[in-house]
């Protein structure tokens, strides 16, 4: 019997690792990486591959990879993609997932971080796009504006974030509304240019374009 996304989402061990990983990132001062983040990434990854007509099982594996992609943070933020892939292998193997499917999931997880990421398969490409475009005010946990670092400020400046396909499905578009009194658009590029270029490469793997719109201006 195939392991479903619901099986993964309801697994107590996976829930524990996601929760504990986020606690580690709280201690390090990072933005939210818990259930809200991985849940949104799963939804967007599903939307991308379903819109592009990928098989239903590939879509479900993308959701699974997206939901588990940050569990490596429980080990360390450094190389968390690779440690997360190893953790995911053990968890999914114990759940009885078929080896070929595990391979696709852990390849995606192991290739999602900016420093080493490559869209090695459609699941990885969808995960990269979904993860790197999750920019929103609600991810900022620091409530002391005076002590915001640039990551806090850029995320907090995002008043509205939408990701959608063009009408002909030839491009996926990240559309942001930014309060420029909180963060200049150039600050966004300073922090996220690497992520946006990675998103463009991931989109190219899926044979579509990636476009970035900020305050109604197309920038990429």
């Amino acid at each position: 019997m195939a392991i479903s996304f619901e099986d993964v989402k309801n697994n107590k061990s996976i829930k524990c690792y996601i929760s504990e990983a986020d606690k580690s990132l709280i201690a390090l001062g990072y933005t939210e990486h818990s259930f809200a983040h991985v849940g949104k990434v799963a939804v967007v990854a599903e939307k991308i591959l379903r819109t592009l007509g990928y098989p239903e099982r590939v879509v479900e594996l993308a959701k699974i990879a997206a939901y588990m992609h940050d569990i490596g943070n429980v080990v360390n933020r450094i190389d968390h993609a690779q440690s997360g892939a190893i953790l995911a292998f053990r968890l999914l193997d114990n759940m009885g997932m078929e080896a070929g499917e595990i391979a696709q999931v852990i390849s995606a997880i192991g290739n999602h971080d900016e420093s080493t990421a490559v869209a090695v398969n459609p699941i990885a490409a969808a995960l990269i796009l979904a993860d790197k475009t999750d920019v929103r005010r609600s991810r900022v946990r620091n409530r002391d504006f005076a002590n915001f670092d640039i990551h806090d400020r850029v995320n907090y400046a995002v008043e509205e974030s939408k990701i959608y396909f063009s009408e002909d499905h030839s491009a996926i578009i990240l559309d942001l509304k930014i309060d420029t009194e909180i963060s200049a658009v150039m600050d966004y590029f300073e922090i996220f240019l690497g992520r946006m270029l990675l998103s463009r490469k991931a989109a190219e793997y899926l044979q579509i374009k990636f476009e970035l719109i900020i305050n109604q201006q197309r920038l990429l």
Side-chain angles (χ1 to χ4, degrees), residues 47-111:
K47 176 182 178 181
I48 291 168
L49 294 188
R50 180 163 285 133
T51 300
L52 296 175
Y54 279 84
E56 192 61 33
R57 186 58 183 165
V58 175
V59 173
E60 186 152 43
L61 292 177
K63 290 174 66 179
I64 290 170
Y67 196 76
M68 300 180 72
H69 79 278
D70 271 339
I71 59 174
N73 286 306
V74 76
V75 178
N76 198 294
R77 180 62 180 174
I78 297 172
D79 295 331
H80 76 281
Q82 289 76 25
S83 54
I86 294 168
L87 286 169
F89 164 77
R90 180 66 180 270
L91 290 160
L92 295 173
D93 187 49
N94 286 344
M95 292 175 71
M97 181 177 280
E98 187 266 329
E101 293 190 343
I102 293 176
Q104 294 178 67
V105 170
I106 65 174
S107 291
I109 293 173
N111 281 282

Side-chain angles (χ1 to χ4, degrees), residues 143-163:
R143 290 294 175 254
D144 184 359
F145 191 84
N147 290 321
F148 273 13
D149 64 14
I150 192 168
H151 292 86
D152 291 331
R153 192 169 69 251
V154 168
N155 277 281
Y156 194 80
V158 177
E159 297 179 327
E160 188 175 355
S161 174
K162 296 182 289 185
I163 184 162

Side-chain angles (χ1 to χ4, degrees), residues 14-210:
I14 293 172
K15 285 182 179 179
C16 177
Y17 288 134
I18 293 172
S19 179
E20 292 299 317
D22 191 51
K23 288 178 184 178
S24 295
L25 294 184
I26 291 173
L28 292 170
Y30 278 79
T31 52
E32 183 268 324
H33 282 71
S34 190
F35 297 102
H37 171 61
V38 299
K40 181 174 182 181
V41 173
V43 168
V44 174
E46 174 186 21
K47 176 182 178 181
I48 291 168
L49 294 188
R50 180 163 285 133
T51 300
L52 296 175
Y54 279 84
E56 192 61 33
R57 186 58 183 165
V58 175
V59 173
E60 186 152 43
L61 292 177
K63 290 174 66 179
I64 290 170
Y67 196 76
M68 300 180 72
H69 79 278
D70 271 339
I71 59 174
N73 286 306
V74 76
V75 178
N76 198 294
R77 180 62 180 174
I78 297 172
D79 295 331
H80 76 281
Q82 289 76 25
S83 54
I86 294 168
L87 286 169
F89 164 77
R90 180 66 180 270
L91 290 160
L92 295 173
D93 187 49
N94 286 344
M95 292 175 71
M97 181 177 280
E98 187 266 329
E101 293 190 343
I102 293 176
Q104 294 178 67
V105 170
I106 65 174
S107 291
I109 293 173
N111 281 282
H112 84 271
D113 187 55
E114 290 100 295
S115 59
T116 56
V118 179
V120 295
N121 58 35
I123 295 169
L127 171 56
I128 289 167
L129 282 164
D131 183 39
K132 305 314 170 193
T133 57
D134 186 17
V135 186
R136 51 189 163 84
R137 178 171 290 185
S138 57
R139 293 193 71 185
V140 179
R141 288 185 282 218
N142 181 4
R143 290 294 175 254
D144 184 359
F145 191 84
N147 290 321
F148 273 13
D149 64 14
I150 192 168
H151 292 86
D152 291 331
R153 192 169 69 251
V154 168
N155 277 281
Y156 194 80
V158 177
E159 297 179 327
E160 188 175 355
S161 174
K162 296 182 289 185
I163 184 162
Y164 54 87
F165 276 88
S166 60
E167 288 187 12
D168 62 359
H169 298 168
S170 65
I172 189 163
I173 301 160
L174 176 60
D175 191 343
L176 302 177
K177 180 181 178 183
I178 290 179
D179 184 340
T180 55
E181 292 187 2
I182 296 174
S183 174
V185 172
M186 286 307 298
D187 287 343
Y188 178 90
F189 272 100
E190 180 181 343
I191 295 299
F192 293 130
L193 179 59
R195 297 184 189 184
M196 297 301 96
L197 294 176
L198 180 58
S199 295
R200 185 166 69 182
K201 290 181 180 178
E204 288 172 353
Y205 181 94
L206 297 172
Q207 298 184 322
I208 57 175
K209 295 179 181 179
F210 173 77

